Amino acid sequence: MSDGESLVAVGTSDDDCETACRNLNIPDTAVMDASGAIMTPGYVDIHAHGAWGTSFDDGAEGIELARAGHLSHGTTRQVLSLITNPFDTICDNLRTIRGQTDMRSDILGVHLEGPFLAASRKGAHNPECLCDPVDGLVDDILRAADGCLRQITIAPELPHGISAIRRFADAGVVPAIGHCDADYETARQGFAAGAGIMTHMFNAMNGLHHRRPGPIPAAVEDPRVTIELINDGFHVSDPMVKLGFGFAPHRIAFVTDAMAATGCPDGRYLLGALDVDVVDGHARLMSNDAIAGSTLVLEQAVQRAVLRLGISAPDAVEAATLTPARAFGYDKPNRVTGRPLGLLAPGYAADVLLLDPEDWTIRHVWCDGHAVR
């Protein structure tokens, strides 16, 4: 039951529904028969770059269209990820999203993926725009974001990597370790300095090695760290996705890393200033064949987890709802969302999905109590 923006009552029987309607003076006409559908909280994506032919770097109109693409697939709240660009462009894009967060409650803020990445692990980021996070650049980013920066991916082994992590954390941003070549000890230092997220585990980082463990064990062993995972069967193989859930139960956050081609036919697209070719839904840079984001939506990530990988439904839904919300403290009342996110419980935001119990496709979407599908 919702009063419009918040959930005010929950239950599992007709009697619960009738009692709640009576206590809240809700007319029978306002009650919907879900016909055996699965009900979950709205999905929360903390790492995505675009959809429906446009990117979150493409101004207010691009943001509106890309958000519509993800919202139609159940992502009721989203942190908008920006790709590496010339520094002035990054700051302009931060200011644009800052304005959008004032107008739209479904936009949680910005994830800046770059420019403070290791050149050796740049993935689909423009190497000409990568740089070291010296104090002046940190100042410029914080000033341009004006409070809307939620997450920033940093390679901790950069000369000013650890100090930048500390500065962003002190400013209320959640630094993330990723796109890095960090060894285990450097990654540990990064998490100790305030990094609270690992950006898409296994991708764009040195992998597990029995003598050179790298950053992944440092993230796994630290209970404060939320670990992003792209569950599309392409970025990370199915056995490794399942291994990730075993590594860090209740700390895996499904993310899409979705680019502009999400929800579009195969073809040629742009990721920042870089040309991308999408074939069979898989995006690669035309220059060097590097993976260039995904065409995934969280609806598909949850479907794959439950129906293909055999991950329990509660764990799969948690990875797309409560865990990403918790990464920023949005599972509790907070100044950004007001009402907490990630659960179907009284006082939580009225972000609700109804899913088909057979194939886990989304039938209906409510965000802030408003039906959007």
Side-chain angles (χ1 to χ4, degrees), residues 176-177 191 196-201 205 215-216 219 225-228:
I177 287 179
F191 292 125
I197 295 174
M198 169 162 272
T199 295
H200 45 48
M201 182 170 68
M205 63 184 62
I216 294 174
V225 177
T226 299
I227 297 174
E228 295 181 356

Side-chain angles (χ1 to χ4, degrees), residues 1 9-20 33-39 344-346:
M1 292 294 174
V10 296
T12 58
S13 69
D14 290 341
D15 289 341
D16 291 334
C17 182
E18 291 173 5
T19 300
D33 185 353
S35 303
I38 297 169
M39 179 179 287
L344 295 177

Side-chain angles (χ1 to χ4, degrees), residues 246-259:
F247 274 165
H250 311 296
R251 292 196 286 124
I252 297 296
F254 283 150
V255 297
T256 63
D257 199 12
M259 61 161 296

